[in-house]
């Protein structure tokens, strides 16, 4: 078996397989920078200073010994492209592509992973980013502003609960009435006899001595600082009344509905609630059982605050 051939160049020595093609010596010698100074002094000045990594030379020598075939790096002919040769200032560093060319498929070398593109810088807004992170969306502000006009007792920013359905007899004008009503309590139109399930309408209006009024279509808590009561309907109304001497308890009176009826009971207040009904003597309102209310009734909770029961308008 023939001995391996050695090609000695200016920048190193390459070992070739004995069976490698003869013209491979010249190509390897060119990659090694031409003949070494010991062989010739006629060097191409344009190639002076071109540097080849010794590790790459050793790898190329091993490849030639193992396979006998040298794969030349492909280049486009331009000095800046991978695999090309460039005349340059010896004091200037070589481009990375020239020092470490990309390997061809099948060479056994790993390609360099391209660097990811830089992320675009955020556009300046003139506002501190910490303030932007804590800023409240405009929709939330509008929702909070609109909730200020919601009925008392409704949760801020939430839709009021739907009213329970109630069986009604309709008049010719479309007003709901109690099923046993002899006539429409809203107008003079005759009743049609049609029974329909409709959301509970306002059954009565509580007119306060302070001039305030509230329609009763569900639960109402009256007091100096009223609080929702356990077991009541969702969205109960909280009606605060003035009491300079604190004769009115925080949660003093509870008004509720049952079918088409309006009822009231005292919530165990300190001074009680007086029910004044036309033609009858005043009585204390019971705390155990709700008492039915009728149009014209007057409820006295103390400190000069009264509530009169009026028909719905």
């Amino acid at each position: 078996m023939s001995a391996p051939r050695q090609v000695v160049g200016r920048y190193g020595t390459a070992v070739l397989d004995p069976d490698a093609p003869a013209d491979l010596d010249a190509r390897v010698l060119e990659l090694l920078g031409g003949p070494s100074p010991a062989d010739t002094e006629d060097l191409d000045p344009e190639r002076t200073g071109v540097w080849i990594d010794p590790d790459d030379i050793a790898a190329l020598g091993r490849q030639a010994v193992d396979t006998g075939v040298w794969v030349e790096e492909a280049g486009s002919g331009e000095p800046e492209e991978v695999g090309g040769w460039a005349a340059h200032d010896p004091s200037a560093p070589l481009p990375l592509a020239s020092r470490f060319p990309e390997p061809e498929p099948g060479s056994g070398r790993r390609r360099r992973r391209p660097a990811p593109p830089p992320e675009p810088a955020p556009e300046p807004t003139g506002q501190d980013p910490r303030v932007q992170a804590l800023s409240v969306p405009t929709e939330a502000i509008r929702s909070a502003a609109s909730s200020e006009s919601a009925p008392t007792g409704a949760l801020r920013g939430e839709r009021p609960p739907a009213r329970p359905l109630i069986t009604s007899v309709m008049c010719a004008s479309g007003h709901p009435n109690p099923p046993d009503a002899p006539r429409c309590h809203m107008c003079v139109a005759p009743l049609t006899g049609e029974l329909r399930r409709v959301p509970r309408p306002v059954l009565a209006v509580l007119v306060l001595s302070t001039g305030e009024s509230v329609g009763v279509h569900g639960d109402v808590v009256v007091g100096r600082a009223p609080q929702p009561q356990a077991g009541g309907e969702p969205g109960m109304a909280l009606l605060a009344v003035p009491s300079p001497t604190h004769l009115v308890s925080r949660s003093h009176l509870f008004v509720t509905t049952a079918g088409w009826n309006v009822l009231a009971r005292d919530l165990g207040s300190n001074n009680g609630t007086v029910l004044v009904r036309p033609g009858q003597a005043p009585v204390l309102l019971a705390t155990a059982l709700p008492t039915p209310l009728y149009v014209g009734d007057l409820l006295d909770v103390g400190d000069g605050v009264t509530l009169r029961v009026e028909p719905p308008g």
Side-chain angles (χ1 to χ4, degrees):
M1 179 177 180
S2 302
R5 302 201 307 270
Q6 291 188 355
V7 179
V8 180
R10 182 179 180 83
Y11 304 114
T13 301
V15 180
L16 304 182
D17 191 283
D19 299 330
D23 60 347
L24 186 61
D25 296 48
R27 297 168 63 187
V28 173
L29 183 62
E30 183 181 1
L31 289 177
L32 293 177
S36 65
D39 296 337
T40 178
E41 297 296 331
D42 186 15
L43 299 178
D44 188 354
E46 294 184 354
R47 293 179 180 176
T48 302
V50 176
W51 178 81
I52 300 179
D53 194 333
D55 294 337
D56 291 343
I57 294 296
L60 296 177
R62 288 193 300 270
Q63 182 185 33
V65 172
D66 294 339
T67 63
V69 179
W70 172 268
V71 180
E72 183 179 6
E73 297 289 342
S76 62
E78 296 295 334
E80 294 79 11
E81 295 295 332
V82 175
W85 294 88
H88 62 282
D89 184 2
S91 61
L94 283 174
L96 182 61
S98 299
R99 289 184 289 150
F100 303 102
E102 288 289 342
E104 286 292 328
S107 64
R109 296 176 56 196
R110 180 179 298 177
R111 291 181 176 271
R112 293 190 300 271
R113 179 177 299 176
E119 296 184 0
E123 297 182 1
T125 59
Q127 185 179 5
D128 189 86
R130 294 171 297 176
V131 177
Q132 297 179 13
L134 297 176
S135 60
V136 181
T138 306
E139 292 78 9
I141 297 177
R142 293 175 178 174
S143 176
S146 61
S147 65
E148 295 298 329
S149 59
T152 305
L155 296 178
R156 302 302 185 191
E158 294 186 2
R159 181 180 300 178
R163 300 181 186 178
L165 298 180
I166 189 172
T167 302
S168 308
V169 60
M170 311 304 294
C171 74
S173 298
H175 299 140
N177 293 270
D180 57 350
R183 60 184 180 275
C184 180
H185 68 285
M186 296 290 293
C187 65
V188 296
L191 301 178
T192 61
E194 175 192 1
L195 294 178
R196 185 185 305 175
R197 297 278 290 177
V198 298
R200 181 193 296 140
V202 175
L203 305 181
V205 177
L206 299 178
V207 180
L208 279 72
S209 56
T210 59
E212 188 178 359
S213 63
V214 58
V216 179
H217 54 74
D219 296 341
V220 180
V221 182
V222 182
R224 191 176 76 251
Q227 300 295 322
Q229 300 299 300
E233 294 181 356
M236 63 178 60
L238 305 179
L239 183 58
V241 297
S243 182
T245 62
H246 286 195
L247 290 178
V248 179
S249 298
R250 291 178 177 273
S251 295
H252 194 107
L253 176 68
F254 184 66
V255 179
T256 185
T257 60
W260 282 87
N261 301 312
V262 179
L263 306 98
R265 66 180 178 91
D266 187 84
L267 292 176
S269 62
N270 294 330
N271 298 291
T273 301
V274 178
L275 172 60
V276 180
R277 182 165 293 167
Q280 299 183 13
V283 296
L284 284 175
L285 199 65
T287 58
L289 295 175
T291 300
L293 297 179
Y294 301 100
V295 173
D297 285 352
L298 186 70
L299 297 169
D300 189 346
V301 296
D303 235 348
V305 179
T306 60
L307 300 90
R308 184 177 298 276
V309 182
E310 298 288 348

